[in-house]
Amino acid sequence: MSALPRSYNPFAEDEEDDAAAAGRGVPSGAERQRYLQQEVLRRSAATADSTSRSLSLLYESERIGVAASEELVRQGEALKRTEQMVDKMDQDLKTSQKHINSIKSVWGGLVNYFKAKPPESKPEQNEAPEYYANSKLKEAMMSSKEQESKYQESHPNLRRLDNSDNDFYNADLVSSVQRDAYPKNQQLRAYHQKIDTNLDEMSSGLSRLKSLALGLQTEIEEQDDMLDRLTRKVETLDVNIKNTDRKVRQL
């Protein structure tokens, strides 16, 4: 058995193996490690970009929800104006019927004289009637409108020039306990922090969207009741108009 020389290097064989592997086109251990690191960074960056796009779509959905809520409130105002107009027409029709009875006979005039006078209607105002949406919808709209600036920052066509996607290193946003949970690699840590921040924002956005949906549902149900009431009033008014017209023709 031959003795090993004193200058023997036990790692020389590994270096020779890496060199031989490189000569055969097989990546060495160091190259594989660099490839894995780059792959982790690439996948982390892709995940961060994906969550950012999802967050942008969430803000867009929230903006559309607010616009739909505002349109529904305007529809409620129109319904209330219509109902007030129908009520005024009904009151005017009753006044017309009184005059017709006075003209038709002396007895009808006496009846109208002793009949209790209807309450005097308030003078008509040109201002639009005040309409108040349900409290759920109002609160949801206010909460979502506060996020308008975030929507503009996240939208690619509205993004401000000073808003950089690489601004992940604000130490005030992450506590020391949270920093310990992230990888030590600074770039990988930045991606993980960005992903966590986006997920938190998405959770809050979904909660606001749920509030908007519940508020819209309540508002639609209330306006359905208003439409049913308005339909009944219009049907009654139509019958009264036909009766009044028949009486006028009989004069």
Side-chain angles (χ1 to χ4, degrees):
M1 181 176 180
S2 61
L4 296 174
R6 293 183 178 181
S7 61
Y8 173 73
N9 183 0
F11 298 102
E13 295 179 359
D14 293 338
E15 294 177 356
E16 292 176 357
D17 293 340
D18 289 342
R24 295 193 303 269
V26 179
S28 63
E31 290 177 346
R32 286 196 298 270
Q33 184 176 5
R34 284 194 299 271
Y35 170 78
L36 291 175
Q37 289 176 349
Q38 292 175 358
E39 185 67 15
V40 169
L41 289 175
R42 187 185 67 81
R43 292 182 179 272
S44 299
T47 304
D49 291 340
S50 177
T51 55
S52 296
R53 288 192 299 270
S54 300
L55 187 60
S56 177
L57 292 174
L58 187 62
Y59 286 143
E60 173 69 12
S61 301
E62 192 172 359
R63 189 182 68 88
I64 294 174
V66 171
S69 301
E70 292 175 344
E71 184 62 29
L72 191 62
V73 171
R74 286 192 290 270
Q75 177 178 299
E77 294 173 353
L79 286 174
K80 186 169 184 179
R81 285 195 301 270
T82 303
E83 187 175 13
Q84 287 184 340
M85 291 174 60
V86 171
D87 291 339
K88 186 178 183 304
M89 290 174 65
D90 184 66
Q91 185 65 35
D92 293 342
L93 190 60
K94 290 179 180 179
T95 303
S96 300
Q97 289 176 347
K98 283 185 58 180
H99 294 321
I100 291 172
N101 291 335
S102 299
I103 296 173
K104 191 172 182 180
S105 65
V106 177
W107 177 251
L110 292 174
V111 171
N112 289 334
Y113 180 78
F114 290 104
K115 192 175 182 180
K117 294 182 179 181
E120 296 181 358
S121 59
K122 296 181 179 180
E124 183 180 358
Q125 297 179 355
N126 294 328
E127 297 180 359
E130 294 183 359
Y131 178 82
Y132 300 99
N134 67 85
S135 58
K136 289 183 180 179
L137 184 59
K138 289 173 62 178
E139 293 175 0
M141 289 173 62
M142 291 177 59
S143 177
S144 295
K145 284 183 177 180
E146 293 175 356
Q147 311 300 318
E148 183 67 22
S149 60
K150 292 184 178 180
Y151 161 72
Q152 293 179 355
E153 291 175 358
S154 65
H155 198 284
N157 295 331
L158 301 177
R159 186 175 297 164
R160 294 179 298 187
L161 295 178
D162 58 347
N163 182 34
S164 174
D165 289 336
N166 295 324
D167 188 18
F168 304 145
Y169 306 105
N170 189 353
D172 296 335
L173 298 179
V174 184
S175 64
S176 59
V177 177
Q178 290 175 323
R179 284 197 297 268
D180 293 339
Y182 289 117
K184 293 183 179 180
N185 183 285
Q186 189 177 20
Q187 192 173 4
L188 188 59
R189 175 195 296 264
Y191 287 132
H192 283 206
Q193 291 178 3
K194 182 64 174 178
I195 293 170
D196 287 348
T197 301
N198 288 344
L199 291 176
D200 290 340
E201 289 291 335
M202 290 171 64
S203 176
S204 301
L206 289 172
S207 177
R208 292 191 301 271
L209 275 178
K210 179 182 177 181
S211 299
L212 272 175
L214 293 175
L216 284 169
Q217 180 182 4
T218 303
E219 182 68 19
I220 290 173
E221 291 174 353
E222 292 180 357
Q223 291 193 18
D224 283 343
D225 294 338
M226 188 184 301
L227 280 171
D228 292 340
R229 185 173 64 250
L230 182 59
T231 300
R232 291 192 298 269
K233 287 183 178 182
V234 170
E235 290 176 351
T236 302
L237 182 63
D238 182 64
V239 173
N240 292 336
I241 289 175
K242 290 179 180 179
N243 292 335
T244 303
D245 180 70
R246 187 177 64 255
K247 290 180 180 180
V248 170
R249 292 179 182 276
Q250 292 175 354
L251 291 178

